Each structure stands twice: as C-alpha cells, then as structure tokens.
Amino acid sequence: MDISDLTKLKNKEIVNDLRGWVDTIRHHGGLMFFELRDHETKVQIVTDNPEQFDNLKNEFYVSVTGNLVKRKKENVNKEVLFGDLEIELSNLEIISESKTLPFQIEDNIETDEQIRLKHRYLDIRRKEMNNNIIARSNTFKSIREVMNKLNINELDTPTLIKSTPEGAKDFIVPSRKSPGTFYALPQSPQMYKQLFMLSGLKNYYQIAKCYRDEDSRKDRQPEFTQLDIEISNGDPKTVQKIIESTMKHVLKTVYSIEVKTPFTKITYDEAMSLYGTDKPDLRIKETITDFTNIFMDTEISFIKETIKNNGTVRGFLINKLLSRSEIDNLDELLKNEGSPGLGWFKIENKKVSGPLAKILNEKENNELVKNDNCTMLFQSGKQAESSHYLDTLRRKIYSIPSENSYEFVWIDDFPYFEIENGELQPSHHPFTSPKDTSEFLSNPNDAKALHYDLVLNGIELGSGSQRINDPKLQKEVLSKWGLSETEINDRFGWFIEALSYGSPQHAGFAVGIDRFIAEMMNADSIRDVIPFPKTQSGLDPLNNAPSNLSILELQEYNISIESIENEE
Ligand code: ASP
C-alpha cells in the first residue's frame, strides 16, 4: 500500500505494513510524532508510547501498523498533502537502519554540490530533486507518445563506433582484442541515423546518449541525452513541424503549459541584428536599434573610424534617465566581457549630456533631442564583435516580463562555416546541405546552410539540418572544411561510400533533453535534472570515476602509461 492509498480507507480502519522512511521526529506533550515518507508523499504517525521507539532515527526504513485517524477540521495541517490524516501507531518494524546523514533530506539545502553528488541516492530522496527526476521520466514517456502517434520508428544505434569527431573531442575506448586500436563513444548518432535513411527506413527517433569530451564549459555534461530524429524525404519544414508537435504535446501533458504553433521563425542575420545573438530570449520584446545613420558625419573619432570600416553604432534608447552609477555598472559588466566600453548619452529636458556630448555636431544633437528624458546606450564597432555585448546589455537592462512564459523561436539560414577558437568549423556539422550549392562551391566562407536551431527563452534547445545526399558534394564540403584527401578517406570514406548507392533526401534534428527539462523545471543547472551527473571537471564523486587501472589490467589492452611531467 502507498500513502496516497490511505484516502481509500475509513476512519479508524487498520493500516497494515505501511512502508517508508522516518522523516522529522518530534516530541510534544508526552507524544511522539514522525512523518512517514514513501516515494511520493508523507503522512504523520503518532504514538503515546515514545519510550518504546527511543532508538528510532531519521531515514530508518520502517513498516508501520496502526489505526488511521481522519483529523478534525481544526486539526488539519493544510500545508501538507495528507495533513487531514494521521496513523496511531500500534506496531513498528525497523526494516533497515540509517547511518547519520551527511545532509538533511529537505528542500533548499545549502550543502556543497560535491557532497550531494557523492550521496546522490540521498539527494534524490529530497522532494525537489525527486520532482525533477519524475519530470524527466514523464518527459520521456510523453516524447514516446508523440513519436508513436506520428509513426516514427524507435531505433537504436551503437555506442562503440569509429572515431569521427564532430566538433568536440571523442571519448575513446581501447579494444582488448585488437591491441593498439580504439573505438570512440558517439558525439551523436548522426551518421548512423543517416544510414537508416539510406537503408530504406522511412524515419527514425531515439532518446540517445551522446558523449563529448569538451573543456569545462558552464552547464555542459560529458554525457548527455538527446531526442534524435531523422526523416527520409524530409526537409526543414517537415522536421520543424514534427518538433513543434512534440514540444506542444510534452509541454501540455507533462508541464500543463499550452503553446501556440507554428513557432516564430527568424533568420540568423535578423537574430544577430535585432538581438545580438543566435539564441534570443523573445520574452524580452525590446530589440537593438541601429543608430549608425545619426553619426554619418560625426567628429567623434572612434565612431568615425567604425563607420569608415563598415562597422555600426547600435544600442538601445531607454525611456528613463539612468543614474551615473547605473551606467558605470553596465560599462563594467561589458568591459569584463571584453568590450572596449559602453557609449552613452542622456537626453534631459531636450539637452544632451554625457562624455561625448560636447563633440556632437548640430545634426547629431538635433537627432538626439527628438527624444526626451531618456538614455541612449550604444556599442560602436564591427557588427559581429559588438553583437555579443549588445545581447548582454539587452538581457541586463530589460527584465523578463513573466517567468512562466515560454517563447520558442526557430533560427535558420546560418552561415555554413564559422570561426571557432581561430579555426574554420561548420556551424552545424559537415553533413549539412549548403542552402545554395553553387554559391557554396564558389564562396564557401560566405555561404548559408540549411541548418536550423530551436531556441526556448534564450536557450538553444537543439539543432538540425537538411543533409547532403550527394557523395561528391559531401567530399567537397569536407575538403572546403580543410580535410586532406587522405583524412577524408580514412575518417569518412565508409560514409561517402554509403551515400553512393541511391540516397534519398533527408533531414533531421536533435533536442537536448537535459537542458529542456532544466528550463521547464526552473533548475539552476542541467545537473539538477540528470540522475547521476558528473561535476564540471568530468568527475563522478559517487564512485570516483574516472579511476586508475592496474598495470596488469592495462597490459591486457597493450597500454602503458608514461607519467607526464609538467613542463614549467
Ligand atoms: N547530430 C546533430 C547534433 O547532435 C543534430 C542533427 O543534426 O540532427 O547536434
């Protein structure tokens, strides 16, 4: 019997063998109370014979027998779910004792995360964590409901694969049977799901584990979960419709939230010019304004230089007069992110003030005083560089109107390549179709891709693309990316071969499920919605993974470890 089944019993009826953990023991006026907690809820137990239960401690797992009492109205504890019920204890059997706890099983604890992860099974006994894990399970269930309704095949793919890095570094697994060779764990099932399309399957989905060995980045996990989808004869529109139906269904069934479809759609270029980011939070309605035209004949030297170099002067006109310290704080925030500084003017009673006000020419002054009692904040420079600071500024100066609104937006028409850490990288992955093949072949660095992202409240939920189904073009893309003929053949030859036997057009998408649940549950980090996550540095405090292997074990894999001295 579960605690929630107690509501089916009558007053004074006997409750036999109700099991759970002892939670919060209290003594009051010769009575002893404790709450019995099961996987779902709690109920109060009372005894007038406390001496008999002297040895009882928090988190003992017990079986309770006693009389159910429906409390009088005035005694009902409205704060708790079964606050109108109580059990008068007649017998208690201790099934399993508990050691002293490393932290209390209650919400809002301030315990170090390291300790919570070391005892994750205790951490998940806490209601807030338990709710997150149940929401995760319900999300999986709900995803499967939509996928079944849409008749999409659930198919699995291997996790020991050939190393073909997709952007991050691979996790590698040594092969014992072929010493000196290695499998990799998949960064995503990308090529396998495409192979399903080449194998004549109509569609595919999988709730897939992905592994990326990245340098510690905030709120990333080396191992994470995706809803991975691929559709034969699909294009961006088909795929986006499926993802919209999925989101709508999951939000409704798991989180009781109605969202309208189709979702808003904007291009990458629009996103960068209006919001300064490809992950805009559309709960904030204010967008970036381009002030460049005001300064075409300026005498302000750094702005003059910007305009000469095809840069822009962009920012926000705020309908209030910010104080000097408010402006200084924003300036510092941007400088910490690398900005050369925040430009500003205040317009008060039709008079412009600010460090640059004296250098304004008449035309500029006349333009600015068209507004009154407001503050203009701006960044001057190359659009690509200033966008980031304007995104930060926008999210700082405008508050989010409602925490409980959910603004989805599709971003499409991404550039094919981008520069990441000084290196040319496909902005999605190299299996993405260029938007226009001839444009791509003649000028790959400026070409667009059939790549689309889904963003929810400023968080990138997932990415997808239409795929290349022409082996020649696939080779061409890999070579424009900078791979040599030999690298292409070694790493991707098998895949290009597979594309060479009549390949249907196909497109797909992957949703980062951890991030999605974290957003829906208002969790601080994705670690709070993953049952057994790793720390920021990739360690598992629960069992100290990764750990050493003995020399004998390593020998079986033909591996020897040389200690690496730190070179000063
Ligand atoms: N494999 C891609 C990723 O993990 C998603 C896709 O293109 O379907 O981002």
Side-chain angles (χ1 to χ4, degrees), residues 146-147 150 152 227-229 236-250 261 263 408 410 452 454 461-463 508-511:
V146 201
M147 294 296 121
L150 297 173
I152 303 184
L227 162 62
D228 198 40
I229 288 187
K237 256 199 190 144
T238 341
V239 174
Q240 287 170 9
K241 225 171 143 199
I242 291 172
I243 297 296
E244 287 175 353
S245 308
T246 309
M247 285 295 149
K248 198 176 166 77
H249 181 79
V250 175
T261 51
F263 299 152
F408 286 94
W410 289 109
Y452 35 90
L454 181 61
L461 279 192
S463 302
F509 198 77
V511 181

Side-chain angles (χ1 to χ4, degrees), residues 9-73:
L9 300 186
K10 292 200 206 71
N11 199 17
K12 298 287 175 195
E13 211 169 318
I14 289 225
V15 179
N16 223 339
D17 188 20
L18 188 66
R19 292 177 183 216
W21 285 274
V22 173
D23 190 311
T24 348
I25 305 174
R26 282 177 298 118
H27 291 266
H28 187 67
L31 300 176
M32 183 183 109
F33 301 86
F34 69 87
E35 282 174 331
L36 184 76
R37 190 187 71 239
D38 70 4
H39 51 268
E40 202 179 8
T41 187
K42 296 181 191 176
V43 68
Q44 178 159 284
I45 316 291
V46 58
T47 174
D48 54 6
N49 207 352
E51 311 77 47
Q52 222 183 306
F53 306 104
D54 254 2
N55 59 342
L56 202 62
K57 300 236 174 64
N58 274 7
E59 295 312 299
F60 277 25
Y61 195 72
V62 297
S63 158
V64 161
T65 298
N67 278 343
L68 178 77
V69 179
K70 301 221 169 173
R71 288 178 175 182
K72 290 199 193 108
K73 246 195 192 144

Side-chain angles (χ1 to χ4, degrees), residues 188 190 193 212 226 228 428-429 463-465 467 508-510:
S188 85
Q190 184 61 37
K193 66 173 172 172
R212 295 184 193 172
Q226 282 189 343
D228 198 40
H428 190 34
H429 52 56
S463 302
S465 61
R467 323 301 187 187
F509 198 77

